[in-house]
Amino acid sequence: MNHWEMSQVAHMCERALGMTVRQVTDPDEVKEILARMEKGFLSPVLDPAKNDFTPANSFWLVGERGGEPVLAGGVRLDDLRHLDVRSYWGRMLERTFEQAPVPHRATFPSDLLFGKVAYFGDLLSRGSAGLGKGGRDKLRLFTGIGHYLTQAEFSPDVTYCFLRDQDVMRGTHNVYGFMEICPFMYRWDSDPYPSGFPEWIACTRQGQFPQLMESLRRFTEESAHNN
């Protein structure tokens, strides 16, 4: 599947979603949109108040219905080059939460996250947009557009997110378009995450991206046929 074909799949996802999808890079507009969605907190990794984001390293994806935001998610890019992601995370997490994370004894694959890495997270839904089977289908379409735009904008080696154990057990990483999972390597003596600290990393490598878009093509075509 070439880039033109993948762009067509992204447009098919938007039509099937039944929303207008916008890419937002202005931090002030992002804050206003998130306030309208009544989001109580953001992960520090994507909080515009705690990062100097520019269009070169971040954007938010917003799905709107009737001019009102219904779905949203943020993306940030970090170029690790040859830096081990474990060293990067250790420093970043301690600075973010003002307490050092405790590493697990289990080793972490050195080739799982490397080079240019894009974090795609803080997926928010308003009302019933993310609930039930229909809501999960909408999240699949929405995150598919997000994966496409992430590749188009940043061409990362890997796109990843953090997930809690209960989310992995119900297959949320599959809904979000992440094709691999691995246990997260850190814990905290005092949990700093409002919703519970992550226990898994889910990711999709650049080489897997065409397969992800092909699965979305089949999904949208089958959905249109069934309707």
Side-chain angles (χ1 to χ4, degrees):
M1 182 177 286
N2 60 37
H3 185 80
W4 171 244
E5 292 169 329
M6 288 188 284
S7 71
Q8 291 177 312
V9 172
H11 284 293
M12 289 166 62
C13 288
E14 184 182 29
R15 288 194 296 271
L17 186 61
M19 300 180 193
T20 299
V21 178
R22 293 196 300 125
Q23 198 175 351
V24 181
T25 58
D26 181 349
D28 292 331
E29 186 178 1
V30 169
K31 292 176 188 177
E32 190 271 333
I33 289 170
L34 297 180
R36 286 161 61 191
M37 295 190 71
E38 301 175 349
K39 174 65 173 174
F41 65 90
L42 290 175
S43 65
V45 178
L46 282 173
D47 191 339
K50 297 180 179 179
N51 298 275
D52 292 322
F53 287 138
T54 72
N57 65 6
S58 178
F59 69 85
W60 277 78
L61 191 69
V62 181
E64 296 175 328
R65 185 183 293 125
E68 287 298 313
V70 177
L71 293 170
V75 178
R76 69 172 285 166
L77 179 74
D78 292 288
D79 191 349
L80 303 181
R81 301 198 180 186
H82 301 296
L83 179 67
D84 189 322
V85 70
R86 293 167 291 192
S87 300
Y88 167 73
W89 272 339
R91 293 196 303 270
M92 184 267 286
L93 292 169
E94 182 174 5
R95 182 177 64 250
T96 298
F97 296 117
E98 298 182 351
Q99 62 169 304
V102 181
H104 289 298
R105 292 182 180 179
T107 59
F108 185 78
S110 59
D111 63 344
L112 187 67
L113 297 178
F114 60 91
K116 292 170 65 178
V117 297
Y119 175 74
F120 184 12
D122 277 278
L123 288 165
L124 319 175
S125 61
R126 190 178 189 183
S128 61
L131 303 176
K133 183 182 185 302
R136 288 168 71 84
D137 288 349
K138 290 186 181 302
L139 283 172
R140 184 178 179 184
L141 296 166
F142 182 72
T143 54
I145 298 169
H147 279 286
Y148 170 76
L149 288 173
T150 299
Q151 284 292 328
E153 288 285 351
F154 303 135
S155 189
D157 296 297
V158 187
T159 302
Y160 74 99
C161 75
F162 298 123
L163 291 174
R164 297 172 301 167
D165 189 65
Q166 59 262 45
D167 295 321
V168 168
M169 292 303 103
R170 62 182 179 225
T172 301
H173 56 290
N174 295 319
V175 177
Y176 290 173
F178 292 103
M179 304 179 75
E180 295 185 50
I181 58 171
C182 180
F184 192 37
M185 71 193 77
Y186 294 113
R187 61 179 173 84
W188 282 259
D189 290 330
S190 176
D191 183 3
Y193 288 84
S195 61
F197 67 83
E199 296 157 293
W200 295 85
I201 298 157
C203 67
T204 294
R205 304 170 192 252
Q206 189 178 74
Q208 296 168 320
F209 176 63
Q211 284 72 42
L212 171 61
M213 298 306 291
E214 176 61 25
S215 73
L216 288 165
R217 182 192 64 77
R218 290 200 309 270
F219 177 63
T220 54
E221 289 179 350
E222 289 169 3
S223 298
H225 177 74
N226 293 333
N227 292 332

